[in-house]
Amino acid sequence: MAEQECVGFIDMDCFYVAVERTLDKSLVGVPCAVCQYESQQKDTKTVDRTENRKVTVGGASLIAVSYEARARGVTRMMNTGAARKQCPELITVMARIPRPRRAFALCAIDATHLSSPQVPTAHGKANMAVYKEAGQAVCEVLADFAEKVEKRSVDEVAVDVTRAAKDLLESTPFADVLEEALAPGSHQADSAATLEMARESHAANRKGSKAQKERLERTSAGGDYDQEERMLMAAAVVVSRARRAVSDRLGFSCSGGVAPTKQLAKLGCGLHKPNQQTVVLPRHIDGLLQDLPLDRLQGLGGKEGKQLISRLGVTTAGELGALTPDDLVRAGAADEGSARIYIAMARGTYRDPVVHRMTYKSFAASKNFYREALDTDEAVDAWLKKFSEELWERVTKDREKHNRAPTNVTISVNRGGSSVSRTGPLSIGWVGSAAVVHDGAVSLFRRYAQSIQTPYQIQTLGVGVGNFVDLPKEGKGGGIMNLFKSTKPASSSPRPPAPQKRSSGGIGKFLGKAQAPPPPPARKKKPAAKGMEAFLGGGPQKKARRAPAEVIDVDAPLVHRPANDVVIDVDAEPWTCSKCTYHHAEAEAGFLACAMCGAQKE
Ligand code: DCP
């Protein structure tokens, strides 16, 4: 039996809306949505999170939609105007607004409280801290129930609950476990409702399908349960209790999945939302995958999935799973490493262990400037300073809590084509300052700028810090040597750090570049042989290697980028709007509608 046999997956329900609801109770139970912040807004005044941000007009697209609004046909990425036509009672709370200089009419119901229509901003950018902190709090609650808690994005967490399930089985008669595991709202993967949801494409589901609603019927798993299934049913109880704790302690509802692997737990989690969970027993895996649209497999929502469809004519996981990796390679649909993973996923045998990571692997701050591109060193430096200050706030908070510090700094630059990033060392230890981060970023930019001409025409600029190392506790507040070691800025080295190129693309983008793809062992089989592991660079039972320099832009304007090394839902390919021809580079690749004119992505 695999080391981690019981994996849970938690995804918060309409998360930003849920967070806004904790700040403003009048949003509870009514159709509401969070729309985007205007990235070109000039006002850099800091606006407190408690200030009212309700608006009634504007073309901004919606990034989070309450289930009450979804039931009325409002979907994610609709622009606010269209959404209000669809559902006149819709209340829109502004997190980010993509269009420049738009006049905002205030929501009639609360206009008395509003002096000006402002958004939560800090450092001249949308302030997403409120959502990030809420996501962090969720992890902390879940840690009371699981041995390993892996933060996967702002609102998604994978948990290893194997030990907790075992303890529960040992202390409780199985009949009682089963009774609780089959409670209303806990679905089995073979139920008619589940299979119906599993036929919906990821793209449709992601918009906020109308079909998603609370189903409280009991669905029986039926038959006898072997030991592995008993463990999973016990895990379902643990996950359900953990979800209840999140709701009781924080006021957020969430959905869950329980399965023998992380991939299947995530899949299960997305099948019944909101406030429900789905258990995938081994006996249900084949049936569940049979008609599953290909884009529901992790990493196949974008170009890679389309390539498989066009080269092989497969449209479901069942069809893909009937092929071999060689078939994919021969058809030119994937390289060998990716082909093995796709096939394993399609068969439900892909094992990617939960790793304990309760916080972000890297921090980043960035901004889109669109047509007001940054052209000069002065403009770039000023923004690098703002980003460094923002990052520094996060680094110092994080350092207090987790005794760790980043050891590299990365800049990312987009001038209209694909993004370029450069990474160099950073030394801050227990001391340091925002200036050290800024120096490092400026030094990297200077080197990069040698290869480009002014005006730079930079449309997106970002700074990240990552490659965290644990700090010795005794160094805290440290002695003179520690201070000396820790304050040396990246830029003060005699030679500036050699920029490192970042690799990208392919399945690695989706499954984490920190760990090379593990092989796809058959279910219940031991990990793959050494030779294959060596070929693929790591196996499921191997310890994760130290992450290479890696920055995922968790603050990328206007687009949700999961916060660790895994890009889950974002179609990562740049695209050009067919209506206004605005080019959406990597940071905006996940947009479903044009950030400039609002036209749907084709
Ligand atoms: N988000 C974003 N930009 C996007 C999409 C989402 O900033 N293009 C934010 C808002 C969401 C949050 O990330 O609330 C989490 O995204 P999810 O995809 O998990 O969607 P929700 O939690 O809103 O809804 P669901 O209940 O369908 O999971």
Side-chain angles (χ1 to χ4, degrees):
M1 213 169 245
E3 195 185 304
Q4 283 179 11
E5 51 195 292
C6 300
V7 179
F9 201 95
I10 308 292
D11 180 20
M12 307 310 295
D13 299 325
C14 55
F15 189 46
Y16 286 13
V17 167
V19 174
E20 295 294 345
R21 282 174 164 169
T22 62
L23 300 174
D24 180 352
K25 300 285 178 221
S26 74
L27 301 174
V28 176
V30 300
C32 60
V34 174
C35 65
Q36 300 186 87
Y37 168 78
E38 179 189 1
S39 71
Q40 288 183 317
Q41 182 163 307
K42 292 245 166 67
D43 181 6
T44 59
K45 179 183 154 201
T46 296
V47 176
D48 189 71
R49 66 183 60 175
T50 57
E51 284 190 47
N52 198 326
R53 286 169 280 115
K54 289 175 185 168
V55 290
T56 53
V57 296
S61 44
L62 307 178
I63 51 173
V65 179
S66 79
Y67 282 81
E68 294 84 354
R70 293 183 202 195
R72 305 280 303 274
V74 178
T75 61
R76 193 206 305 265
M77 300 316 283
M78 244 184 192
N79 76 43
T80 312
R84 288 193 60 76
K85 260 191 206 146
Q86 178 71 32
C87 172
E89 303 89 283
L90 185 76
I91 298 178
T92 317
V93 179
M94 184 165 41
R96 300 174 165 197
I97 304 160
R99 289 190 175 188
R101 288 176 283 282
R102 181 169 289 278
F104 294 101
L106 305 180
C107 185
I109 59 166
D110 256 332
T112 48
H113 302 296
L114 299 169
S115 52
S116 63
Q118 288 180 320
V119 298
T121 51
H123 306 287
K125 310 169 46 253
N127 183 3
M128 310 310 276
V130 61
Y131 308 121
K132 287 175 190 159
E133 284 163 19
Q136 196 61 46
V138 169
C139 281
E140 275 150 31
V141 173
L142 295 176
D144 288 347
F145 294 83
E147 354 166 356
K148 289 199 179 111
V149 176
E150 180 180 325
K151 185 166 180 53
R152 310 240 326 154
S153 77
V154 72
D155 80 330
E156 285 187 344
V157 187
V159 288
D160 173 13
V161 291
T162 310
R163 169 93 41 82
K166 207 168 184 188
D167 291 348
L168 183 68
L169 272 189
E170 279 168 10
S171 62
T172 315
F174 182 64
D176 294 349
V177 170
L178 195 58
E179 179 65 20
E180 196 172 336
L182 297 177
S186 189
H187 300 264
Q188 306 302 308
D190 66 337
S191 74
T194 305
L195 294 174
E196 185 194 324
M197 293 308 295
R199 277 193 286 272
E200 190 170 53
S201 75
H202 174 69
N205 193 266
R206 183 133 179 82
K207 272 177 140 185
S209 161
K210 254 186 178 177
Q212 286 286 21
K213 57 175 188 224
E214 252 186 285
R215 293 182 168 81
L216 297 178
E217 65 264 24
R218 285 172 70 108
T219 58
S220 162
D224 294 330
Y225 296 88
D226 64 19
Q227 183 56 18
E228 185 177 6
E229 292 177 330
R230 284 173 179 241
M231 283 285 285
L232 286 165
M233 295 313 266
V237 171
V238 175
V239 167
S240 150
R241 290 179 184 175
R243 288 177 41 238
R244 203 173 319 126
V246 169
S247 162
D248 292 347
R249 294 187 216 167
L250 305 173
F252 308 131
S253 87
C254 55
S255 301
V258 179
T261 70
K262 192 158 73 183
Q263 179 218 345
L264 292 168
K266 177 175 163 59
L267 173 64
C269 180
L271 292 175
H272 291 287
K273 289 184 108 267
N275 200 21
Q276 294 156 92
Q277 64 179 44
T278 308
V279 185
V280 183
L281 295 180
R283 67 174 104 158
H284 300 151
I285 295 173
D286 292 345
L288 181 66
L289 294 170
Q290 190 56 40
D291 295 325
L292 191 81
L294 219 51
D295 74 347
R296 284 197 93 136
L297 293 180
Q298 196 174 318
L300 292 182
K303 195 183 87 179
E304 283 82 1
K306 286 189 190 119
Q307 187 151 302
L308 291 184
I309 293 171
S310 71
R311 301 258 163 107
L312 295 157
V314 292
T315 57
T316 64
E319 289 166 357
L320 179 62
L323 302 177
T324 65
D326 280 350
D327 294 333
L328 272 60
V329 175
R330 268 197 303 272
D335 61 43
E336 192 171 342
S338 300
R340 299 168 77 99
I341 294 173
Y342 295 149
I343 296 291
M345 282 194 190
R347 294 176 183 170
T349 57
Y350 180 72
R351 277 193 189 274
D352 175 21
V354 176
V355 293
H356 188 59
R357 184 171 63 231
M358 288 204 20
T359 186
Y360 294 101
K361 213 172 135 187
S362 55
F363 297 152
S366 68
K367 187 171 164 75
N368 277 348
F369 300 94
Y370 295 101
R371 285 162 192 159
E372 295 183 20
L374 303 181
D375 288 336
T376 63
D377 283 328
E378 292 69 38
V380 169
D381 286 4
W383 276 103
L384 291 178
K385 186 159 183 272
K386 281 183 196 199
F387 297 147
S388 302
E389 283 163 0
E390 178 181 341
L391 289 173
W392 186 250
E393 271 177 29
R394 295 180 66 191
V395 165
T396 44
K397 272 192 202 163
D398 178 84
R399 199 170 50 174
E400 284 303 315
K401 210 163 175 183
H402 301 290
N403 282 328
R404 61 178 196 157
T407 60
N408 70 29
V409 55
T410 296
I411 57 156
S412 55
V413 181
N414 189 299
R415 301 170 63 230
S418 56
S419 285
V420 169
S421 66
R422 296 286 183 268
T423 299
L426 179 71
S427 179
I428 55 174
W430 273 112
V431 282
S433 66
V436 178
V437 179
H438 182 225
D439 282 352
V442 168
S443 158
L444 291 170
F445 182 77
R446 291 281 180 275
R447 287 185 68 103
Y448 164 69
Q450 287 168 12
S451 63
I452 58 172
Q453 311 261 309
T454 49
Y456 294 140
Q457 296 183 315
I458 293 172
Q459 292 183 1
T460 308
L461 180 70
V463 180
V465 292
N467 212 18
F468 282 84
V469 294
D470 292 337
L471 293 172
K473 287 214 173 85
E474 63 275 18
K476 196 170 179 179
I480 188 76
M481 282 312 285
N482 186 40
L483 187 79
F484 175 72
K485 273 188 203 147
S486 308
T487 47
K488 190 175 146 203
S491 59
S492 69
S493 42
R495 284 170 43 176
Q500 296 156 16
K501 285 217 166 145
R502 209 179 118 186
S503 69
S504 66
I507 188 74
K509 214 170 215 172
F510 295 89
L511 298 177
K513 292 168 212 158
Q515 250 179 306
R523 210 179 312 143
K524 290 191 178 180
K525 272 195 185 161
K526 283 192 171 175
K530 236 181 165 186
M532 191 191 294
E533 282 184 8
F535 170 67
L536 290 169
Q541 304 298 314
K542 273 194 171 181
K543 259 191 160 180
R545 289 174 298 166
R546 179 176 290 287
E550 169 76 19
V551 171
I552 294 296
D553 190 354
V554 297
D555 283 338
L558 311 178
V559 64
H560 168 55
R561 296 292 300 266
N564 60 12
D565 55 327
V566 182
V567 177
I568 301 158
D569 279 326
V570 176
D571 177 353
E573 287 305 305
W575 59 284
T576 302
C577 174
S578 57
K579 196 166 166 207
C580 73
T581 71
Y582 175 74
H583 182 73
H584 295 74
E586 212 176 291
E588 301 165 344
F591 290 12
L592 298 178
C594 177
M596 278 294 139
C597 73
Q600 288 293 310
K601 180 178 175 181
E602 285 171 358

